[in-house]
Amino acid sequence: MTTETTIRVCREFFSTFGIPSVFVRDNSPQFTSADFAKFLKMNGVVHKLSAPYHPATNGQAERFIQTMKCKLKSMDCNNSDLHSELYNILLSYRKMIHPTTGHSPAQMVFGRQLRSRLDLMIPSDDPKDSVVQGKVRDLTVGSRVSVRNYDHSTIWEFGVIKERLGKLHYLVQLDDGRVWRRHIDQLRAVAVEEQDSSKEVTFSRDGGFNDYENSEVSIAVTPQNPIPDIPSCTDPIPDPQNSPKPTVALSPTIPTGNTAVNRSPGVQANQGLRRSARTIRAPQKLDL
């Protein structure tokens, strides 16, 4: 492993877990090179090297290497399954509680425990699940909805909720037989549901109706509210072209004082305009 490869791996590690404050390593050539020392100095990392032929200085790393060697020797797998088994070993090791610290390595780094398949056996008692479920807007299966269309023909299509795929996704069957998968933000509930067109339309007293597609109408009539007689129009409708035009006498009225004088065209008023009797005073200005 060269110094360039070591620096590249360290950059990847720093981008995931952050830049450490102290870097303790052995006396390998890639760690003692000038380029690696410059890389740690630019990132503000204190570089510490162990004493020669004394691996106990970096005892935690050496103990981890010993544990990994024992696990690799006990594995019975092919070369194709080597990486899968290695990832399972790392997951078990990082989840296991360390006897010295009392916490797992994952808890020491991330502040939380890792989730594995063993956690599926433990029932979840988190009250947040029910709270979040209550805030989600949902639609019932079989309800009538309008679906957003994106093929630039029509904006909305109508259909019925066929299946609920998750908390926010639904499978909708359109009226023409097509099946679409849509988010709840792309659906709108239809207030009035369609009914059988063969039913008879019945009007109630409050003006409501059951079906508007049937041409046959039966009106509910009670003795208290009989149907009023509709007058029949037997008189012929006059022709507007042959009918005489109405004449209007123009006699404008102009108020003068307390009386009103009727004026016809060409007649002037006997009295003059009415003037205001308010006393006009000069404005008071600020004398500076």
Side-chain angles (χ1 to χ4, degrees):
M1 180 181 289
T2 61
T3 302
E4 290 77 8
T5 305
T6 305
I7 292 176
R8 179 178 57 81
V9 173
C10 288
R11 288 184 185 277
E12 182 180 356
F13 184 87
F14 294 169
S15 64
T16 305
F17 303 100
I19 301 176
S21 57
V22 180
F23 197 94
V24 181
R25 293 303 300 172
D26 54 10
N27 295 274
S28 301
Q30 59 268 23
F31 298 119
T32 57
S33 63
D35 294 339
F36 190 78
K38 181 180 178 181
F39 168 73
L40 295 180
K41 184 177 180 180
M42 290 177 61
N43 290 278
V45 180
V46 178
H47 192 195
K48 292 184 178 181
L49 298 174
S50 61
Y53 304 102
H54 192 268
T57 303
N58 197 11
Q60 294 181 358
E62 297 295 339
R63 186 65 185 88
F64 174 74
I65 293 173
Q66 182 179 356
T67 302
M68 287 300 299
K69 287 182 178 179
C70 295
K71 294 296 183 181
L72 291 174
K73 289 179 180 179
S74 62
M75 281 194 318
D76 186 12
C77 63
N78 301 326
N79 293 332
S80 60
D81 300 335
L82 180 61
H83 287 83
S84 300
E85 296 295 333
L86 180 61
Y87 294 147
N88 291 332
I89 293 173
L90 292 175
L91 177 61
S92 301
Y93 179 83
R94 293 166 180 170
K95 184 180 174 60
M96 188 180 301
I97 296 177
H98 200 276
T100 303
T101 60
H103 300 282
S104 63
Q107 184 128 20
M108 296 289 292
V109 175
F110 302 108
R112 62 178 180 86
Q113 188 63 282
L114 296 180
R115 183 175 179 269
S116 63
R117 289 184 295 179
L118 294 176
D119 296 329
L120 300 176
M121 303 175 61
I122 303 174
S124 178
D125 297 334
D126 191 1
K128 296 181 180 179
D129 297 340
S130 59
V131 175
V132 173
Q133 184 67 22
K135 294 181 179 179
V136 176
R137 182 170 61 93
D138 57 348
L139 298 171
T140 59
V141 178
S143 60
R144 186 77 173 168
V145 293
S146 58
V147 190
R148 186 69 168 86
N149 189 11
Y150 294 96
D151 60 359
H152 305 288
S153 60
T154 55
I155 299 179
W156 296 95
E157 296 284 348
F158 293 93
V160 179
I161 298 294
K162 184 178 180 181
E163 183 182 355
R164 184 170 183 174
L165 302 178
K167 291 184 179 180
L168 302 175
H169 290 82
Y170 294 86
L171 202 64
V172 184
Q173 185 174 6
L174 303 181
D175 294 339
D176 55 5
R178 291 178 296 174
V179 179
W180 286 354
R181 184 171 60 90
R182 287 292 185 264
H183 191 272
I184 193 171
D185 294 338
Q186 300 170 329
L187 302 175
R188 295 190 307 182
V190 178
V192 179
E193 296 183 355
E194 294 185 357
Q195 296 182 359
D196 189 5
S197 59
S198 62
K199 293 182 179 180
E200 189 178 36
V201 180
T202 303
F203 289 87
S204 59
R205 295 181 59 186
D206 57 356
F209 59 91
N210 296 329
D211 193 356
Y212 56 87
E213 294 182 357
N214 193 1
S215 59
E216 297 181 359
V217 179
S218 63
I219 302 175
V221 180
T222 58
Q224 291 79 7
N225 296 320
I227 299 178
D229 296 334
I230 301 175
S232 61
C233 297
T234 57
D235 298 336
I237 300 175
D239 190 0
Q241 295 182 357
N242 300 328
S243 60
K245 297 182 180 180
T247 58
V248 180
L250 300 176
S251 59
T253 302
I254 301 176
T256 57
N258 296 330
T259 62
V261 179
N262 295 331
R263 293 182 58 190
S264 61
V267 180
Q268 297 181 357
N270 296 329
Q271 298 181 2
L273 298 176
R274 180 173 175 270
R275 300 294 182 180
S276 175
R278 182 174 61 88
T279 304
I280 300 176
R281 300 178 181 178
Q284 297 180 0
K285 299 181 180 181
L286 181 63
D287 190 5
L288 299 177

